Amino acid sequence: MEYKEKKYIVRKLMQNALTEEEQTYLSASKPVSELMEQQWENVEDSSSRDSSMESTLLKKINTTLDVEKNQRRRIGIYKCYSLVSSLLLIIGLLSFSYYVWQSPASMYVVSSGVQNIETVVLPDGTNVLMGPGSRLTYPVCFKGGKRMVQLNGQAFFDVAQDRKHPFVVQTQGMDIEALGTAFEVFNYEKDKSVETVLVSGKIKVAILADEEGTVKSTHLVSPNEKITLNRESQEVSKQKVDASRYTAWYNQKMLCFQNEKLSMIIPRLEKWYGRNIICPQELLEKYRFTFKVRDESLDRILFIMQRSSQLKYEEKDNGDYILSLK
Amino acid sequence: MEKELIIRLKQGSKEAFTTLYKQYWKQVYDFSCLYLTSVSAAEEVVQEVFIKVWESREFLREDDNFKGLLFIITRNMIFNQHRKKLNEDFYRVTVLAAMEKSYDIEDEIETNNLREYIDLLIEELPPRRREIFNLSRKENKSYKEIALLLNISEKTVENQIHEALKFLKKNITLLLFFV
């Protein structure tokens, strides 16, 4: 490691100004790594450790591994969905709270982390590709008339054909029903609206009046249509969109924006990186960008956006980013 | 012995996995406790590290150093997944200490300058604070070891190191001009 770098690193280190990349790079660099390895070798016995911890943690590990063994298969991202005849895509942004399942059957909960895409196979053979920071709840086996699952986050469903048992994704405020098709849901806890985009095929969307699931209205959605429910005003609207744009993330396993408005880009960057990006409403609809995200840091992306537009960004102490005009 | 365990783990033996877990989980946990501010985060790291080991068992090589591999997985888990819970002070002193070591002749003079400059700065600290800080910085001791050695509480060590770093931070910009 060069000295100039050292001086730079020490200065930034003390000012608490290292970027994520620098920190990651530094932790894996030879001098730091060697020192850490010494610490690793010499780490003392912590007396405060609970004696039951060994078995408690092992049990938790085994539970996770059992769930994975039975329910999760890692499938090549590229081949999974090419055979699906009708595509259905649902994008939702809403505030979601779990409602208690009616039947007492045992449930699985699968979560994906930041910058992470997970594949899950449901008991009926349905494939689910989960986007970053998402949580899916589903029963050990489907019983009754409908196959019901609950999602908080973003996921693409490739539903196993079974006309007698419709497949329903439940979110607060909106139920999405499909017979045997593939579709995507985008709905995160914090967000206030639900958006559903259909690529092809047909879906029935039920707008719910309350937590008991009383249906207020139902809407049939056609391909390349987006239906939006604003949960605060309870307003429902439909508009024409190019649905294929919303599916790029699972086809390419990366975020991909083609001349998109900030209003589309920012929520997706927020989910992908697990950080808040605050941006004034008037800028959201005004600026458009084209780019793909592979393994760049959020800092890097915002930096490039700053260099190539009228926007500037700053990071606040709490980790939020703020976008504004230069 | 361990080689056999790894071979059996590769073949999918849960028993071999459990044996390896029992042998190494404490090390993963204790190391995580050094760098993380919450005990529950350290527990999560233990789970995530061993789940990772199981998931990637097919890629293990029996001739590789298993303990070294665990270290790398643990370190990456801490710095990638749990960076928000990082014990910043401990991390800072570790990196600082690493920067003060030279690895080749070219690097040596500059590194000595850096070390001398930091020594000079630290001279200005109250003696007790300087002693505590140097035990951490030069001898790479954990807060707990320092507390035992000097017969003070861990909290005191933590506070003294925090204050020492605060002082360094204030004066470090001069580093640009002097070294």
Side-chain angles (χ1 to χ4, degrees):
Chain A
M1 180 170 296
E2 279 197 34
Y3 169 66
K4 269 182 191 157
E5 261 180 53
K6 276 190 175 176
K7 194 168 73 174
Y8 171 83
I9 286 166
V10 169
R11 194 166 51 88
K12 286 197 84 175
L13 175 78
M14 300 310 294
Q15 293 170 337
N16 203 10
L18 289 169
T19 66
E20 278 179 28
E21 287 130 315
E22 282 168 341
Q23 206 179 53
T24 308
Y25 167 77
L26 205 54
S27 305
S29 73
K30 194 178 162 200
V32 178
S33 190
E34 277 185 10
L35 205 57
M36 281 186 185
E37 210 162 349
Q38 274 175 35
Q39 291 167 345
W40 164 265
E41 289 295 334
N42 300 329
V43 78
E44 85 268 35
D45 241 13
S46 162
S47 52
S48 59
R49 204 171 43 228
D50 192 335
S51 59
S52 66
M53 200 187 272
E54 178 175 292
S55 53
T56 313
L57 290 179
L58 182 62
K59 214 184 238 168
K60 283 188 188 170
I61 292 168
N62 281 328
T63 310
T64 312
L65 292 179
D66 286 344
V67 171
E68 284 179 19
K69 193 172 148 199
N70 295 329
Q71 305 299 332
R72 292 165 63 170
R73 311 265 186 282
R74 277 160 207 280
I75 300 175
I77 300 294
Y78 300 96
K79 63 174 185 191
C80 325
Y81 303 110
S82 55
L83 299 175
V84 175
S85 56
S86 59
L87 279 177
L88 174 60
L89 171 76
I90 294 163
I91 309 257
L93 297 154
L94 86 167
S95 166
F96 179 89
S97 71
Y98 276 103
Y99 20 123
V100 181
W101 282 68
Q102 314 264 309
S103 75
S106 47
M107 309 298 290
Y108 285 121
V109 180
V110 179
S111 299
S112 60
V114 170
Q115 293 180 50
N116 187 7
I117 293 175
E118 288 284 344
T119 306
V120 186
V121 182
L122 302 187
D124 63 339
T126 293
N127 278 320
V128 186
L129 193 62
M130 291 165 66
S134 304
R135 192 171 46 197
L136 179 74
T137 309
Y138 60 97
V140 175
C141 71
F142 288 113
K143 286 177 191 144
K146 286 181 176 177
R147 292 173 283 168
M148 311 267 248
V149 301
Q150 294 173 332
L151 179 83
N152 170 22
Q154 180 180 25
F156 185 89
F157 292 86
D158 176 4
V159 180
Q161 283 269 357
D162 184 354
R163 295 210 162 259
K164 284 183 187 151
H165 303 99
F167 191 89
V168 180
V169 178
Q170 295 183 306
T171 64
Q172 194 182 20
M174 194 188 266
D175 281 0
I176 303 112
E177 183 175 325
L179 290 168
T181 182
F183 58 95
E184 193 204 67
V185 178
F186 189 110
N187 88 71
Y188 286 90
E189 221 160 75
K190 290 186 308 186
D191 300 320
K192 294 188 184 75
S193 63
V194 198
E195 293 175 359
T196 299
V197 181
L198 181 63
V199 178
S200 64
K202 206 116 194 148
I203 45 160
K204 190 169 82 181
V205 172
I207 307 294
L208 305 176
D210 51 40
E211 301 227 340
E212 274 81 59
T214 314
V215 176
K216 201 160 74 179
S217 59
T218 59
H219 305 262
L220 284 174
V221 179
S222 306
N224 289 317
E225 256 182 6
K226 181 168 88 167
I227 179 167
T228 307
L229 166 69
N230 183 315
R231 287 198 55 245
E232 279 178 351
S233 65
Q234 288 295 310
E235 212 175 296
V236 182
S237 62
K238 270 191 199 177
Q239 70 181 103
K240 281 274 174 202
V241 293
D242 178 0
S244 64
R245 286 184 176 182
Y246 291 81
T247 62
W249 73 274
Y250 74 81
N251 280 328
Q252 310 203 22
K253 212 190 168 186
M254 66 172 99
L255 288 181
C256 182
F257 302 109
Q258 185 76 42
N259 194 26
E260 296 297 348
K261 287 179 183 169
L262 278 179
S263 59
M264 153 118 182
I265 294 170
I266 284 180
R268 282 162 182 81
L269 285 180
E270 284 182 318
K271 296 339 170 204
W272 187 244
Y273 290 101
R275 301 284 285 269
N276 289 327
I277 305 170
I278 298 155
C279 180
Q281 192 63 36
E282 64 269 23
L283 303 182
L284 284 177
E285 298 301 322
K286 194 171 165 193
Y287 289 95
R288 291 172 176 274
F289 291 90
T290 297
F291 62 92
K292 286 180 181 174
V293 180
R294 287 189 179 83
D295 52 5
E296 294 84 358
S297 70
L298 180 54
D299 210 63
R300 180 92 189 132
I301 291 166
L302 293 175
F303 177 75
I304 294 168
M305 283 167 80
Q306 171 173 299
R307 290 296 291 270
S308 59
S309 73
Q310 293 300 308
L311 301 173
K312 66 178 164 72
Y313 79 100
E314 56 180 321
E315 190 180 358
K316 293 215 301 185
D317 290 340
N318 63 7
D320 288 357
Y321 286 94
I322 297 181
L323 278 178
S324 54
L325 277 179
K326 273 176 192 162
Chain B
M1 180 59 196
E2 184 159 298
K3 210 167 170 177
E4 279 167 35
L5 280 175
I6 306 290
I7 293 172
R8 276 166 51 212
L9 175 64
K10 282 177 70 167
Q11 291 161 348
S13 158
K14 255 300 170 46
E15 206 192 322
F17 177 74
T18 307
T19 310
L20 286 164
Y21 165 82
K22 284 187 175 157
Q23 196 167 335
Y24 288 114
W25 79 274
K26 277 186 209 146
Q27 197 163 9
V28 175
Y29 180 78
D30 288 341
F31 182 78
S32 303
C33 284
L34 283 181
Y35 277 95
L36 296 170
T37 51
S38 105
V39 174
S40 65
E43 286 178 24
E44 275 172 42
V45 170
V46 172
Q47 294 175 52
E48 288 161 357
V49 165
F50 282 94
I51 286 168
K52 191 102 188 163
V53 167
W54 178 258
E55 283 177 343
S56 48
R57 63 187 182 279
E58 289 154 42
F59 306 106
L60 293 176
R61 283 192 307 226
E62 56 270 25
D63 295 322
D64 281 356
N65 173 2
F66 182 70
K67 206 165 140 184
L69 181 78
L70 268 188
F71 163 69
I72 291 168
I73 299 176
T74 307
R75 182 194 69 199
N76 291 350
M77 219 49 112
I78 291 169
F79 286 95
N80 294 336
Q81 314 290 339
H82 297 274
R83 66 166 71 242
K84 288 203 172 116
K85 300 255 170 69
L86 203 63
N87 181 342
E88 298 278 351
D89 284 349
F90 189 79
Y91 173 74
R92 252 177 240 160
V93 178
T94 302
V95 176
L96 195 62
M99 291 299 115
E100 289 183 68
K101 283 198 175 116
S102 55
Y103 285 84
D104 50 54
I105 293 169
E106 274 176 63
D107 182 41
E108 204 172 292
I109 299 168
E110 317 291 354
T111 303
N112 280 342
N113 281 343
L114 180 70
R115 190 164 46 229
E116 276 165 23
Y117 180 72
I118 291 171
D119 279 336
L120 209 68
L121 272 182
I122 285 171
E123 278 302 304
E124 291 177 40
L125 291 176
R128 188 64 158 176
R129 189 170 296 166
R130 185 169 66 228
E131 186 185 6
I132 291 169
F133 187 68
N134 277 340
L135 279 171
S136 175
R137 165 185 168 230
K138 296 205 161 165
E139 298 181 34
N140 201 15
K141 292 207 183 304
S142 71
Y143 292 179
K144 193 165 188 166
E145 285 173 294
I146 299 172
L148 283 173
L149 202 68
L150 301 179
N151 201 17
I152 50 177
S153 76
E154 250 181 273
K155 195 79 203 155
T156 309
V157 177
E158 213 178 296
N159 289 339
Q160 291 292 331
I161 287 180
H162 187 74
E163 287 303 316
L165 283 168
K166 224 161 86 184
F167 172 80
L168 272 184
K169 179 183 171 178
K170 220 168 74 189
N171 294 286
I172 210 80
T173 34
L174 292 170
L175 193 64
L176 265 183
F177 306 105
F178 282 98
V179 238

